[in-house]
Each structure stands twice: as C-alpha cells, then as structure tokens.
Amino acid sequence: TMSIDMKLIRTIVVVMMENRSFDNLLGYLSLSPYNRDKVEGLHADPAWLDKVASVYNGTKYRPFLLSDPYDVIDADPPHERDQIATQMGAATGGKFPMDGFVTNYASAKGAKPPTAGSQPPVMGYFTPEQAPVTDFFAENFAICDHWFASLPAGTQANRLMAMSGFSTIDVNQVPLPNQYLVYDWLTDNGVRWRVYHEGIPFFAMMPRWIGDVLREDHFRPLAQLISDVENEPPDEFPQVIFIEPTYTDAPHIGPSSDDHAPSAIKGGQEFLLEAYRCMSFYPDVWKGTVLVVTYDEHGGFFDHVSPPAVPTAPPAEARYKKGFDTLGVRVPAFVISPFVKAKTVFNNRLDHTSILRFVGQRFGKTGYSGLVDERAVGSVLDVLNEENPRLAPAIPSLVPYLEKQPGSAGFTPGRAPETPIQRNFQDALDAIRD
C-alpha cells in the first residue's frame, strides 16, 4: 500500500446498509457493456450461469436482471445462521457450491413458490439504471469485491462484529445483550464521535444506549448533518461518524431506506446520495473524509463466491458454543474519499472488522484490539491509493430516477409489516420515557 499521511484523514464515516449481496448490487460490473475485468462479478456465458444457478426441486434458477428498483419483493428471505448454511450448501474441499438460495427463499413467509420458468427475486441483480447512486460510487471511487460479512449469520451478529470486533450472539435477540462497542472505544480514546440517524438508531436495541439516544448527546437526526458540516468548528466536528438509514424492521413512517427486503432499493439509493451530498458538500470537510459504505449481510440474495476460511471463535461470554469456520457471504462495499482513485477495484480480503482496524490505525494508541488486529483480513486503509486529495465529483442529476413512480399495478411503497423487533424497540423506548 502507499503511505498516506494519516493526519490528513480527519473524519471516518461509516454507513452500514441491510441485506444485499455483492452480486445483487455490483455483479453487473463485469458484464458487457461495463466490462470491468478486475471485478469478480457475473458472466453472461450460459455454461457459467448454469454452474452458479441455484437448484430447487430439480430446476436450475439462473441469475437474472431485476428491472424494477421501485417494487417491493414478495418476501424477506430468511437469513439466520442455519438458513445461510442452506444457501451456501455443503462444502467439498473447502468450497461451498452457493446453490441453496432458491430453496431458502421458497421457505420464506409470503414467497411465491418457485416453478420452472419463474424468476425468484433472490437470484436477481441490478444494473446502473436501477441503482444509479451506487453505480456513481463505483465509477468515481473504490469498490471492494472481496468484502465479506464477518459471519455467516444474520443482522445483529454481523453488526456486533462491525461495532465490537466480536459478537456474543449468533442469532438475533431482543433486547441486544450488552457488549463493549466502538462507541465506548472512541470515548475511551478521546475521539469525538456521533451517530446521525434517519429513523431509530440500531443500538437503541441495547438498553444502556437508550438514554444517550434520547438525550441526543451523541445521536442526532440525519437532517442536522448538513448544517453541522457547514457550521461546526473543526475541533468540535466528530472524527468518526455513523450514518444510519430508516430500518425496515424498526418502527417508521413511510418507506424505509436500508435496502432490507421486501423493501425496494430506491429508498436506499436516495439515502446514500444524501450521505454523500452531506460529506462532499463543503470542500474543507470533504478533503479529510473517508466514507465507508457496506451491507451488514447478504440477506438471502444470491452470490457466487464461496466465503473464505477465516474462523471466529465464540468470545468468553458468548451465548452460543459453536464457532464459525468461514466469513459470511460477500456484500457490496465502497470506499468513497478524496484518497481513492476513480474506478478503483480492491481485490484483497476484507470484512466488517476492517473498519475497526482502520479506526484503530488512525485514532488508536496501539491499534484497535488484539482480536481485530490479528484477524486474517485487511484494513480499509489498504484501499486508499491517492496521495493528493481529489475534489468531490459532482452528483449527476437523479431527478428522473427519484421522481419516477412504478407502474400503478399493485404498487405499494417499500413499507414492511410490523415485526416483533419493532414492538420490542417501541416497548424499550416507552419504558425509558416513562
């Protein structure tokens, strides 16, 4: 890697979206007419498509183009530890066939039963027409095509890996058990941090954070970010920022913006555009920014790359006994910064702890933690390849995309029905307020 003067990096921004695989959102880059040959993405060759197809009831389901970014899909594919094992299939010689995505989807509540000739949405992928904002990022900044979820498990375990470097749980639980987070690490290391949230912040599910969320010590509405960027003095502006979307699985009004199925992706594109707009708006802030965008896990969507053997043992206080032998399924990841060259494709292995390693390299006295720094993945720092900070590329006009409404036939905005997690969220907040 090249040596970038670390002091030039003044703000690390982290955005973690929900539940899309690399192939679902970025696999198109290796297809014609994009032809990004360094990207390990999709191929049009029928033999290749047959090889990576998912098999269900003897029928092969190949990857296909999902042409509607506005439409809610039928169901949320299950994506906890056991179901992900189904999706990956049984390994031979350390390689997973990655052929159980349709079998898993068929078990989802509300899923249309797959039949020969049908196209289960989990095998679908988007192109720039459907995902113009993430395509803008891929054209102008860096994508990481070997960034994997930290664990072949669901949302909470992966978000805890991303925010702690370890997870005491392997399946979703409410409330979240208490564990030491990067928020604590930043406070202990005297680093200014803040969460800007569009909906309810994720760690409202860990009861000890609810007071801080309600007092707005470190938690502010996303609408306030642009004025803080513009008006806050450099010695008060946060050094690490987390920007959170409106979660499909949390109480909210209107469409969610986290890309979590069954939600459509238009809301997520709009949210990511706003995160970029805020951080690139003011040249003085932009020139010291590294914005990392990734997805907590693949959410049951197809990806053809077998996760590598990076083991994760249960931590001492874990609520599960059996550790993990591999990383999770590959997810989209972008490094958006004046310190990366346009069209960078970073091929080395990364996972969510690569963010913590980077935070430790920039703001720690001796790295982040032994657990994080010894993990067999690289750091976000490795992706930075531009010594002379670049100006922020102008945002293309997305008015047609953002204003376009889908065909009226059966369209409902990406609003998921209330789930048990929502109720617990609400109960926890009500308890604090009372």
Side-chain angles (χ1 to χ4, degrees):
T1 60
M2 59 191 319
S3 54
I4 285 188
D5 179 359
M6 287 285 244
K7 288 194 194 65
L8 293 175
I9 300 167
R10 294 202 304 265
T11 310
I12 295 174
V13 186
V14 181
V15 178
M16 185 165 271
M17 302 288 281
E18 286 269 330
N19 298 38
R20 296 285 164 167
S21 68
F22 183 91
D23 279 341
N24 175 256
L25 200 58
L26 290 174
Y28 73 87
L29 286 166
S30 50
L31 294 171
S32 175
Y34 316 104
N35 301 327
R36 301 277 288 276
D37 54 1
K38 285 203 179 84
V39 177
E40 187 167 353
L42 301 165
H43 296 278
D45 169 43
W48 186 89
L49 289 167
D50 263 355
K51 199 175 85 189
V52 301
S54 273
V55 183
Y56 175 68
N57 280 352
T59 299
K60 281 187 170 181
Y61 294 88
R62 295 166 155 195
F64 71 96
L65 173 65
L66 274 168
S67 57
D68 187 352
Y70 305 93
D71 204 14
V72 207
I73 74 166
D74 306 326
D76 179 18
H79 46 270
E80 290 276 24
R81 184 174 186 168
D82 291 348
Q83 289 107 358
I84 293 169
T86 298
Q87 293 162 40
M88 287 164 54
T92 47
K95 281 267 188 250
F96 295 89
M98 309 302 284
D99 63 358
F101 294 97
V102 176
T103 301
N104 177 69
Y105 174 71
S107 73
K109 194 175 160 193
K112 290 197 178 91
T115 53
S118 73
Q119 292 185 311
V122 290
M123 295 306 293
Y125 64 86
F126 296 106
T127 62
E129 199 178 338
Q130 296 84 37
V133 178
T134 43
D135 182 66
F136 168 74
F137 293 163
E139 285 297 299
N140 289 283
F141 300 107
I143 63 159
C144 309
D145 71 343
H146 288 84
W147 185 305
F148 297 84
S150 291
L151 302 173
T155 285
Q156 292 182 2
N158 274 297
R159 284 182 178 267
L160 289 170
M161 288 297 292
M163 300 293 279
S164 289
F166 65 94
S167 173
T168 53
I169 57 176
D170 66 340
V171 293
N172 287 354
Q173 302 187 10
V174 178
L176 270 181
N178 186 27
Q179 60 178 69
Y180 186 84
L181 298 182
V182 65
Y183 301 159
D184 302 294
W185 186 96
L186 293 165
T187 299
D188 292 347
N189 282 272
V191 182
R192 297 184 305 279
W193 63 275
R194 204 171 286 151
V195 177
Y196 289 91
H197 52 99
E198 192 180 66
I200 292 178
F202 186 80
F203 284 99
M205 281 199 288
M206 192 179 278
R208 74 176 166 106
W209 287 101
I210 294 177
D212 195 336
V213 170
L214 295 179
R215 282 193 306 273
E216 299 194 346
D217 293 349
H218 288 103
F219 294 82
R220 294 187 178 177
L222 177 58
Q224 207 176 320
L225 176 55
I226 195 86
S227 79
D228 288 351
V229 163
E230 210 175 352
N231 302 317
E232 209 166 12
D235 57 354
E236 289 175 28
F237 191 69
Q239 294 160 288
V240 179
I241 292 174
F242 303 89
I243 304 180
E244 297 195 53
T246 301
Y247 295 110
T248 301
D249 278 354
H252 62 276
I253 294 161
S256 53
S257 57
D258 62 349
D259 285 346
H260 190 310
S263 298
I265 65 160
K266 179 209 174 207
Q269 294 288 301
E270 201 164 353
F271 165 78
L272 290 172
L273 182 68
E274 180 60 12
Y276 174 74
R277 186 180 79 88
C278 290
M279 295 313 304
S280 64
F281 175 74
Y282 190 56
D284 264 16
V285 170
W286 167 254
K287 73 179 188 202
T289 293
V290 177
L291 164 60
V292 183
V293 174
T294 186
Y295 284 69
D296 61 350
E297 32 89 12
H298 70 295
F301 285 92
F302 157 81
D303 192 86
H304 77 279
V305 173
S306 176
V310 174
T312 304
E317 60 277 38
R319 300 185 179 190
Y320 59 100
K321 294 278 186 288
K322 186 173 176 285
F324 293 89
D325 299 325
T326 69
L327 296 179
V329 177
R330 202 168 56 137
V331 291
F334 307 85
V335 179
I336 297 157
S337 173
F339 303 107
V340 293
K341 297 182 192 308
K343 286 188 162 69
T344 294
V345 179
F346 185 79
N347 302 122
N348 295 357
R349 181 196 299 156
L350 300 168
D351 84 343
H352 300 333
T353 67
S354 301
I355 299 170
L356 295 176
R357 183 179 290 205
F358 179 41
V359 168
Q361 287 166 317
R362 174 57 186 91
F363 295 116
K365 294 165 189 74
T366 55
Y368 187 83
S369 70
L371 206 54
V372 164
D373 297 340
E374 288 154 24
R375 196 166 166 87
V377 295
S379 164
V380 170
L381 182 63
D382 307 337
V383 183
L384 307 185
N385 59 5
E386 177 59 80
E387 283 179 60
N388 305 306
R390 299 163 50 212
L391 293 173
I395 298 168
S397 169
L398 290 177
V399 173
Y401 174 82
L402 296 174
E403 282 186 349
K404 186 178 163 213
Q405 288 305 322
S408 53
F411 173 73
T412 49
R415 181 80 198 273
E418 189 170 281
T419 64
I421 286 184
Q422 287 198 18
R423 275 288 6 124
N424 291 70
F425 243 141
Q426 204 54 57
D427 294 346
L429 286 169
D430 293 345
I432 295 290
R433 292 206 166 99
D434 297 343

